[in-house]
Every structure is written in structure tokens, then in C-alpha cells.
Amino acid sequence: MTDFELIRSKRRSLELRVLEDGTVQVRAPQRAPVRMVQTFVDSRRQWIADQQQRQASRPRQRWLDGEVLAWRGDRLQLDVSEGRTRVGISGCYLSVRVTQPEDEMVVRSAVEGWMRRQAKGVFEDSIERQFGWFAAQGFARPTLRIKKMRTRWGSLSARGYINLNMALLHYPPLALDYVVMHELCHLKHMDHGPGFHGLMDARMPDWRQRKALLEQPLFQP
Ligand SMILES: [Zn+2]
């Protein structure tokens, strides 16, 4: 029997995921019997093993002095030292001062806190620069929410939120602008049909090249 973590939610089907650390997670409808979920998981054993293998062989971000962090299409070297927590860019270094410089979780949480603060300014700026045309069409400016998402770069909710993945900060600004434009185009076209692509082509003719930037491998934080 394969061990798994069960998350119940208002959904109608089962969804299987293998997390970065190899944990198997199943999302299931509220009333799905555990035995049924177990049978489902067991039937996907080979797929799970393949995913776990893939996760294990993926290069991983380390959070120690001297390690490199992909930053907006560039690279910053972590310069970790002991002191009162403070994070900031200094030349090609990301200077990280923490109380426990040897503890990767402490370093990671300090850097991610800093990233989240950076994301706000950077993402708002991208929306601001690209929203003009949509404003002229009478659309309301969506409210930014910064998220850590495993499977998507962004999304636009019908309730007026634009959700952007914090990991976009690792990629070049051109790629971030592409994701923002993509989500903004959903204000006019909800699906990915010809209307949507026509609008993308009109608003950002080189969007395919920009999208390709997001497919290059990066250290996954
Ligand atoms: Zn889309």
C-alpha cells in the first residue's frame, strides 16, 4: 500500500500529486470512502514511482552561503552572515543576515520574505505599465495577489484578482510581463480561443518568445 496525504474538498473527482519531497497527496470529494481512494492510489503506483524519481533527480535550490539564486533572469550569489535579520541586494550578491546562518530553513524563510516584498513592487509595476489599453476599454484594474503556486504562473479570477506566482521573480522581466499580459487578456476573453490569441498577438507580438523563457530549467526554490 502506498502512503498518501488526503485532502478533502468540494470537488467531484480525485486528483493525485507527488510533491517536491516525494509525498503523495490526493485531493478527494468530501464523501469519497478512504478505501476507494486507497485503491485509486495503488492503481497508480508506477506513475507515482516515476514522479518521485523525477522529483528526486531535479536540481534543488540550496540556501547556504555561496549558493546561487536565479533572480530576474540574472544570478545573485548568497552572501550569508550572522546578525539581525536583513536581506538586500549588493552588486551581484544577495546579502542575507540571519541569526542562524547555518540553518537552511532560516535562510530560506528570510530570502522568501524579502522576495515577497520585492514581488509586490515588481508585479504592480508590470500591471501598471500594461493596463492602460484595458483601462481605456473600460475594464477595472484587477487586485494583485502574490502566491506560491506549483503548477501555474498566474491566473485571473472572476472576482477581480490577478494571482501571480512569486517564482516569476527568478525569470527575466520580459517573461513576467508576458504572464501579466496573458492574465490581463483574460479580462476580455476567458478562454484560450482564437479571440484570446488574436488579442495577445495585438498587445504583445513577441509573446511566444517570452513564453519560451519560462520553459528554461531553473533551480526550483
Ligand atoms: Zn490563461
Side-chain angles (χ1 to χ4, degrees), residues 136-163:
Q137 303 290 306
F139 292 106
R141 194 181 191 284
T143 305
L144 171 65
R145 281 196 303 202
I146 297 154
K147 296 199 160 178
K148 277 173 85 175
M149 294 185 272
R150 285 175 195 285
T151 54
R152 333 171 63 170
W153 291 116
S155 62
L156 188 86
S157 83
R159 278 165 299 166
Y161 291 99
I162 180 167
N163 303 306

Side-chain angles (χ1 to χ4, degrees), residues 76-77 79 86 88-95:
L76 293 172
Q77 193 175 349
D79 175 18
R86 225 201 73 133
I89 293 179
S90 149
C92 56
Y93 291 94
L94 183 65
S95 157

Side-chain angles (χ1 to χ4, degrees), residues 182-183 186 192 196:
H182 178 112
E183 301 312 334
H186 279 315
H192 296 124
F196 175 85

